[in-house]
């Protein structure tokens, strides 16, 4: 029988991954402490309030807090297992910024007594988990860590998160997990934690393979989206409808092209492939080019929109969608937001009406632009000469086409074709 974890867990970082993971464990009877450096997050979670929107998270969180299985803390307590789920942004030169991981590892190190398992969930370049083990060892020369030969006192493993925002609570249960240990024992000890809630297969491997597999998953998707975006450039140049071209090509049994759009956003797909480029700059040519293609798209879309404005003396533009993808409230690294900002900067006199069912206020990056404001979707369209469709939210998909009659429509997601 595979081992099942029954001890206490401290989850360091209560973001999009840490909080749902903490809730998953707590609702299955594990004693969990959620730790975050942001006092607003600690306070909200302690009250059972989710700091961000994610289907089914709020109810599960309330249950976990009410049952007293989920506690919060601003500092790392002692626990039998630690899950580190902090951000790993990239630096200007595209290398990974591991400062949050390091701080978390050092805080964990202070609490260790021997016998614990430390799991890194944050997406990281190959070698990071071993580095975590070294950082802990530096702080705790009294303990034996698994990167060194011999019997380890504390185990260290990597279990990359791979859930899709918008489906986190479902995918956390149903997706297979990759667990890479610095030693096989570390992997087995970490796997025991995920067996508590994961119904998918748990694949054991070494830490660096697990790190790389995660990066490869997101690079794979990025390259495929870049292929679609490149097709949109080529189709525009040749006067073809890219959506029609893709629809037809996808009728082949072994072809499945993704959707072009205004660019690739979020904190994962737009970032993780750079870690591969950083680790292997000479060989990662396709991965680098894909990143460049996807990163070039917001500027292209903005220029196309600006050209469409030229035929009006005082145009009003409606921009539909601000989030980084459909049906989420997350505007981090949103290409839609970039497009709006580029247009606002280039055309300061043009009225820009923003509509997004998941965003209530003009985002910070657009605050300085006087002629940019939020509107209800129908009012924005009614007042607009030009309608730019930027995010494929369900609400936009189901809009009556008659609302668009007489408008210049720029549908970057192929929603209304
Ligand atoms: N996008 C397109 N065209 C498409 C698909 C997506 O332009 O055909 C755009 C989206 O609009 C968005 C971006 O790409 O701006 C990324 O969206 P996504 O839904 O593809 O992925 P994320 O970033 O929400 O989540 C990804 C997932 N990775 C994979 O599917 C391989 C998820 O499973 C990971 O857990 C997550 O990254 C992560 O945290 O790493």
């Amino acid at each position: 029988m595979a081992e099942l974890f029954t001890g206490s867990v401290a989850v360091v970082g209560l973001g999009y991954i840490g909080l749902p993971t903490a809730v998953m464990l707590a609702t299955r009877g594990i004693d969990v402490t959620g730790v975050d450096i942001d006092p607003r997050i600690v306070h909200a979670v302690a009250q059972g309030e989710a700091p961000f929107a994610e289907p089914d998270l709020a109810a599960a969180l309330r249950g976990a807090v009410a049952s007293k299985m989920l506690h919060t803390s601003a500092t790392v307590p002692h626990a039998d297992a630690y899950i580190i789920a902090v951000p790993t942004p990239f630096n200007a030169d595209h290398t990974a910024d591991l400062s949050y991981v390091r701080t978390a590892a050092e805080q964990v190190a202070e609490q260790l007594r021997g016998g614990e398992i430390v799991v890194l969930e944050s997406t990281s370049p190959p070698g990071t988990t071993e580095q975590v083990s070294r950082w802990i060892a530096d702080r705790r020369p009294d303990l034996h860590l698994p990167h060194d030969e011999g019997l380890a006192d504390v185990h260290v493993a990597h279990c990359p998160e791979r859930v899709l925002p918008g489906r986190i609570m479902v995918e956390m249960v149903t997706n297979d997990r990759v667990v890479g240990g610095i030693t096989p024992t570390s992997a087995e000890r970490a796997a025991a934690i995920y067996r508590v809630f994961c119904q998918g297969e748990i694949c054991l491997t070494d830490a660096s393979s697990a790190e790389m597999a995660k990066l490869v998953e997101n690079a794979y998707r990025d390259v495929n989206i870049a292929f679609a975006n490149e097709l949109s450039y080529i189709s525009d140049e040749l006067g073809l409808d890219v959506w029609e071209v893709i629809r037809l090509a996808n009728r082949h049994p072994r072809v499945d092209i993704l959707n072009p759009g205004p660019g690739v956003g979020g904190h994962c797909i737009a970032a993780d492939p750079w870690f591969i480029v950083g680790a292997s700059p000479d060989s990662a040519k396709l991965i680098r080019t894909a990143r460049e293609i996807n990163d070039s798209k917001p500027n292209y879309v903005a220029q196309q929109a600006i050209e469409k404005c030229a035929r009006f003396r005082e145009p009003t533009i409606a921009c539909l969608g601000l989030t980084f993808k459909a049906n989420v409230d997350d505007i981090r690294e949103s290409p839609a937001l970039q497009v709006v900002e580029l247009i606002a900067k280039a055309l300061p006199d043009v009225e820009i009406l923003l509509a997004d069912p998941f965003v209530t206020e003009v985002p910070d990056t657009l605050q300085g632009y006087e002629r940019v404001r939020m509107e209800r979707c129908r009012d924005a369209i009614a007042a607009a000469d030009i309608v730019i469709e930027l995010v494929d939210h369900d609400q936009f998909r189901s809009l009556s086409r008659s609302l668009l009659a007489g408008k210049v429509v720029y549908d970057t997601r192929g929603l209304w074709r």
Side-chain angles (χ1 to χ4, degrees):
M1 240 323 245
E3 194 195 337
L4 202 62
F5 180 85
T6 53
S8 59
V9 178
V11 178
V12 185
L14 292 178
Y16 289 81
I17 299 303
L19 180 57
T21 305
V23 168
M24 280 288 160
L25 288 164
T27 50
R28 281 150 181 86
I30 300 287
D31 177 13
V32 181
T33 304
V35 184
D36 205 283
I37 51 168
D38 184 339
R40 286 167 307 177
I41 293 180
V42 172
H43 182 73
V45 173
Q47 309 292 310
E49 288 161 19
F52 54 89
E54 177 62 37
D56 302 329
L57 174 64
L61 170 60
R62 276 197 299 276
V65 172
S67 67
K68 301 207 183 324
M69 295 315 288
L70 177 61
H71 325 276
T72 55
S73 171
T75 53
V76 176
H78 177 262
D80 301 313
Y82 294 90
I83 294 179
I84 299 176
V86 295
T88 44
F90 60 83
N91 298 308
D93 64 354
H94 295 134
T95 57
D97 171 2
L98 298 176
S99 54
Y100 297 102
V101 174
R102 181 174 189 158
T103 304
E106 290 175 349
Q107 289 169 347
V108 167
E110 302 299 336
Q111 300 300 324
L112 297 172
R113 297 172 189 165
E116 298 89 347
I117 163 82
V118 180
V119 185
L120 176 67
E121 273 216 26
S122 312
T123 304
S124 307
T128 309
T129 307
E130 189 149 336
Q131 182 64 62
V132 165
S133 184
R134 289 179 200 283
W135 281 326
I136 294 173
D138 288 347
R139 289 280 163 133
R140 295 298 302 272
D142 55 318
L143 293 173
H144 199 103
L145 272 293
H147 65 273
D148 255 346
E149 305 257 306
L151 220 55
D153 295 318
V154 173
H155 303 283
V156 183
H158 183 51
C159 181
E161 63 83 8
R162 50 190 352 202
V163 286
L164 193 73
R167 283 178 50 80
I168 290 178
M169 300 303 278
V170 175
E171 291 202 356
M172 215 167 248
V173 175
T174 57
N175 286 1
D176 293 347
R177 290 301 285 242
V178 174
V179 178
I182 294 189
T183 59
T185 311
S186 290
E188 188 39 59
R189 291 286 303 274
I193 304 172
Y194 293 92
R195 277 190 206 109
V196 169
F197 61 83
C198 175
Q199 291 169 4
E201 194 176 324
I202 298 186
C203 308
L204 303 190
T205 183
D206 63 279
S208 294
S209 297
E211 288 160 339
M212 190 63 178
K214 162 68 197 194
L215 301 179
V216 165
E217 289 163 19
N218 280 354
Y220 171 84
R221 192 151 169 89
D222 198 42
V223 168
N224 280 280
I225 299 169
F227 182 73
N229 278 333
E230 183 164 292
L231 289 182
S232 79
Y233 285 139
I234 295 168
S235 299
D236 282 0
E237 210 174 290
L238 302 183
L240 294 166
D241 174 356
V242 67
W243 306 101
E244 180 65 0
V245 172
I246 291 175
R247 183 182 76 83
L248 296 171
N250 278 349
R251 299 304 296 257
H252 185 286
R254 282 176 297 284
V255 174
D256 188 9
I257 302 169
L258 292 178
N259 298 310
V264 167
H267 262 205
C268 308
I269 295 194
D272 300 352
W274 285 122
F275 295 169
I276 300 180
V277 177
S280 189
D282 293 335
S283 300
K285 296 188 181 68
L286 179 62
I287 293 171
R288 177 198 295 272
T289 304
R291 267 297 58 248
E292 287 166 356
I293 291 170
N294 289 335
D295 270 355
S296 70
K297 204 69 201 287
N299 190 44
Y300 175 81
V301 168
Q303 294 315 317
Q304 298 279 100
I306 290 164
E307 273 174 36
K308 289 184 198 304
C309 288
R311 74 164 93 150
F312 296 91
R313 198 153 352 119
E314 280 183 44
T316 296
I317 308 177
C319 291
L320 305 192
L322 293 171
T323 59
F324 90 89
K325 69 172 190 172
N327 306 322
V328 299
D329 68 350
D330 192 346
I331 55 169
R332 295 177 305 168
E333 313 297 328
S334 166
L337 209 54
Q338 274 185 58
V339 169
V340 176
E341 201 178 348
L342 286 164
I343 299 172
K345 205 177 270 174
L347 305 173
D349 297 331
V350 165
E351 185 152 46
I352 302 180
L353 308 177
L354 310 176
D356 191 310
F358 294 87
V359 181
T360 49
E361 283 170 20
V362 174
D364 288 351
T365 51
L366 296 172
Q367 282 289 349
Y369 299 97
E370 270 173 29
R371 307 219 61 195
V372 175
R373 65 169 202 273
M374 297 297 298
E375 269 295 353
R376 283 181 38 216
C377 178
R378 280 164 183 268
D379 296 341
I381 295 175
D385 303 297
I386 301 167
V387 177
I388 309 177
E389 206 314 293
L390 291 166
V391 184
D392 43 345
H393 290 313
D394 289 345
Q395 196 195 77
F396 299 153
R397 199 180 289 279
S398 58
L399 273 180
S400 161
R401 302 292 188 279
S402 61
L403 294 173
L404 301 168
K407 314 283 177 189
V408 172
V409 175
Y410 183 16
D411 179 4
T412 70
R413 297 272 185 180
L415 210 59
W416 300 319
R417 58 179 315 276

